[in-house]
Every structure is written in structure tokens, then in C-alpha cells.
Amino acid sequence: MTISYPLALPSTKFIGINVGVNDVVGKAVSPFTLTQQVQRHQGQAWELEFELPPMERAEAEQWITWFMKLKGMYGTFLAPAAVNRVPAGTWAGTPVLNGNHAALSNEINLGGLTVGATVKAGDYLQLGSGNFTRLHKLLEDGTADVNGEVTAEIWPNIREALLDGDAVVFNNAVGVFRLASNNRRWELGNSRFYSMRFAAVEAL
């Protein structure tokens, strides 16, 4: 049976997720005056560390075989960046992209919202699909105008060009990730419970 990526996560809930965000910025410092020159580049990526609860063998084996199916850093999977993924904004209506969006844009234009619907800084949203499912976070509050439209800045920048009318997922948003290492480990203690943790990076 051929494995199709990205994989879904096994059903076990996480104890916690350690979230990192990485922007590529170069810095040069004068050895004489200590004056700094900084240059922001295009690179931006999520970095995640997942901690799983103690598990008995039947449940643990679902994760162990899942790790093996990924074949180290080769395979990809869909994952969130938060345990609680319900947005703070109302997001009332059926939000879609309003207009075409070019790659590397840091703003998103939404349409299809109910007049007065809110989006909140910190809300996660999901754009794209399949191997190009991207996880983003809103950096600004917004309120839908009389046309049901709102514009807000997001992080990271849009990866691939997106089209007018493309769907926007705001509940349980996920993105595509891969393991940060080829080495996968699990621990079986005297209590016969398995413990596991793993790190992931955004698949770009």
C-alpha cells in the first residue's frame, strides 16, 4: 500500500506544544563603532515541539508506526501550532479570499464575512490544500465592513499565489510539517507506559 503524504496525526491529544517562529534576518556589526546593519530576507518558518501524554502499548504503537511511515524527514504531516485552536474572533459568515493574492504578500483580504464579524490578532488560519496547506497567524484585529470584507496582516507571508474565492479555514487550522530529525525515539518505563516527544519544522 502506497503511503500518501501529508499524513494526518494519530488521535492522541498533546500535553503541550512548544511553538517557535523564525524570521531570516542578517546582521553585520562594525568592529569599530558597533553600528549595526540589518537585512530582512524572505525566509519565515514555524518550528514546533510536541509532547505526548503517557500511553499504553496499543495507543503508543499508533504513534510508533506513524513515525516510521514518515521515513524520517522525508514524509510530511498536517499539524496545528496550538492545543486550543478556536479563534478569538467571531469569523461569522463564510470567509474566502477576496481577490488574488501574490506569493510573499504579508496581507490577507477576506470576503464573505457577515457585516461586523471580527477577526482577532492571534487567530490561526489555514490557506491552500494538500502539500501546500499553510498555517498562518493574524497580527491585527479587524472588523468586516458593509461588504463583509476585512484586511489584516499575517505571519508568515503567503507562500504560493492564491486565487479569489479560495477557502479560508479558521477552526482547527493546520499546516504541512516534517520531522526536524531523521532520528525518532520513544521510551518505555517500568510503569509500562510509553512516553514520546518530537520536533517538527514547516515543510517548504
Side-chain angles (χ1 to χ4, degrees), residues 52-60 64 186-196:
L52 300 173
M55 293 176 284
E56 295 183 340
R57 180 180 178 183
E59 192 172 22
I64 292 169
W186 57 90
E187 181 178 350
L188 178 59
N190 292 332
S191 63
R192 297 185 181 275
F193 280 90
Y194 291 74
S195 59
M196 305 178 200

Side-chain angles (χ1 to χ4, degrees), residues 55-128:
M55 293 176 284
E56 295 183 340
R57 180 180 178 183
E59 192 172 22
E61 290 293 356
Q62 295 180 30
W63 279 97
I64 292 169
T65 54
W66 182 82
F67 285 131
M68 292 179 171
K69 288 177 182 177
L70 288 172
K71 305 185 188 304
M73 295 185 290
Y74 174 75
T76 59
F77 57 93
L78 297 171
V83 175
N84 182 2
R85 293 173 279 160
V86 178
T90 63
W91 289 83
T94 306
V96 294
L97 290 181
N98 181 32
N100 296 332
H101 287 61
L104 303 180
S105 172
N106 67 344
E107 281 192 337
I108 185 169
N109 301 313
L110 299 173
L113 293 160
T114 302
V115 176
T118 59
V119 299
K120 294 291 186 181
D123 286 349
Y124 290 96
L125 58 101
Q126 172 186 326
L127 303 174

Side-chain angles (χ1 to χ4, degrees), residues 176-187:
V176 176
F177 291 83
R178 66 178 76 252
L179 295 176
S181 171
N182 289 319
N183 190 1
R184 292 91 81 201
R185 294 180 179 274
W186 57 90
E187 181 178 350

